[in-house]
Amino acid sequence: MSSPERKPLIAGNWKMNGLGASAPEFVRVVGAYMGPLRNSVDLMVFPPATLLTSFATSTRGAGVLVGAQDCHAEPFGPYTGDISAEMIADAGGKAVIVGHSERRACHGETDAQARAKAEAALHAGLIAVICIGETEAERKAGQALEIVRSQLEGSLPDAATPKTVVVAYEPVWAIGTGLTPTIDEVAEIHGFIRGELARRFGDEKAAAFRILYGGSVKPGNAAELLHVADVDGALVGGASLKADDFLAIANAAAG
Ligand SMILES: O=C[C@H](O)COP(=O)(O)O
């Protein structure tokens, strides 16, 4: 569970889903957030880049932060198809996801690239949500902690602060599968991440970083997962596409 100084954060990653016609779902989230929820939970939504500007416009002043799902490490240049952190900020984005396992698996993204992208994000004034997590084979081989340790070390910039960086632990085998680690496994990894942050940044700073859990978070399991020690929120994929489900998860974080 989040400590008093770490406000829970629920982040919705729409992945490659959403057309202009999906905007009303987001607008419903924004509307509901303007009630008491706003005081107890931070919300972020990461639509596809095509919807970034319209989502940023519809949440203006409402407090839901909108971000992008990836960025290039360079601010501009001959990188066809990519967008930079500066462009995300220019479009009204406030955050960016880097190192998501789908970028690592489908685009061969390395820890060093995730780190360079996170550095670019900080330079552009964005919050970087940095994803780490082991595969099923790595967990079965007893390597989960070591993989998480090396991804964390390799992907986090030295300049990371609790205000500019959020860590998201997403076991790859739990993403989109309906499977989740046990509560004890989640507690073990999140506690381990907190310890590794303390080794690198000191106890005080480490205590202020938010560490999200991601992987098959749904309204039905959110409360249990979100009340585990050192779980400060969730990075939600599929369930973030439906306003009711996403809001139910946000309310679980608040309660
Ligand atoms: O970024 C979100 C995660 O990959 C989790 O996705 P999921 O909730 O659909 O399992």
Side-chain angles (χ1 to χ4, degrees):
M1 183 187 239
S2 214
S3 83
E5 66 272 20
R6 298 193 301 267
K7 192 173 177 188
L9 166 63
I10 302 298
N13 176 9
W14 281 32
K15 307 192 179 185
M16 199 174 74
N17 296 291
L19 301 170
S22 325
E25 285 297 299
F26 176 67
V27 170
R28 282 183 55 214
V29 169
V30 171
Y33 187 63
M34 291 173 82
L37 194 55
R38 186 172 175 166
N39 298 326
S40 42
V41 179
D42 285 341
L43 279 196
M44 288 185 188
V45 174
F46 297 88
T50 47
L51 296 177
L52 183 59
T53 303
S54 74
F55 277 31
T57 304
S58 27
T59 188
R60 198 169 286 149
V64 179
L65 298 188
V66 172
Q69 299 170 14
D70 181 45
C71 68
H72 199 280
E74 296 297 328
F76 56 85
Y79 306 106
T80 303
D82 284 316
I83 57 173
S84 71
E86 274 74 6
M87 291 170 177
I88 294 164
D90 185 55
K94 303 291 181 203
V96 62
I97 297 172
V98 301
H100 191 282
S101 65
E102 287 152 12
R103 299 295 310 177
R104 293 177 188 262
C106 305
H107 299 269
E109 196 164 301
T110 62
D111 290 336
Q113 285 170 318
R115 182 185 188 134
K117 290 176 178 198
E119 283 165 352
L122 303 196
H123 188 259
L126 301 177
I127 296 168
V129 178
I130 303 175
C131 300
I132 55 174
E134 82 285 358
T135 63
E136 184 179 21
E138 289 162 347
R139 175 158 284 269
K140 283 190 172 148
Q143 297 168 342
L145 292 180
E146 177 49 27
I147 293 296
V148 162
R149 189 204 61 70
S150 70
Q151 288 186 349
L152 191 68
E153 183 176 306
S155 307
L156 251 70
D158 289 335
T161 71
K163 281 199 185 335
T164 57
V165 163
V166 174
V167 176
Y169 167 62
E170 300 206 306
V172 178
W173 50 274
I175 295 176
T177 59
L179 303 172
T180 52
T182 65
I183 293 307
D184 286 349
E185 287 168 341
V186 173
E188 179 190 33
I189 295 263
H190 278 246
F192 177 76
I193 292 171
R194 184 85 56 207
E196 289 299 303
L197 291 172
R199 252 180 4 107
R200 182 158 166 196
F201 296 106
D203 288 345
E204 196 179 327
K205 202 164 156 185
F209 274 100
R210 290 188 287 191
I211 307 171
L212 309 185
Y213 167 78
S216 295
V217 178
K218 310 281 177 212
N221 62 16
E224 193 180 24
L225 288 164
L226 290 167
H227 286 82
V228 175
D230 287 308
V231 172
D232 305 308
L235 181 53
V236 184
S240 70
L241 295 170
K242 290 198 180 126
D244 287 342
D245 288 356
F246 190 56
L247 288 166
I249 294 168
N251 279 305

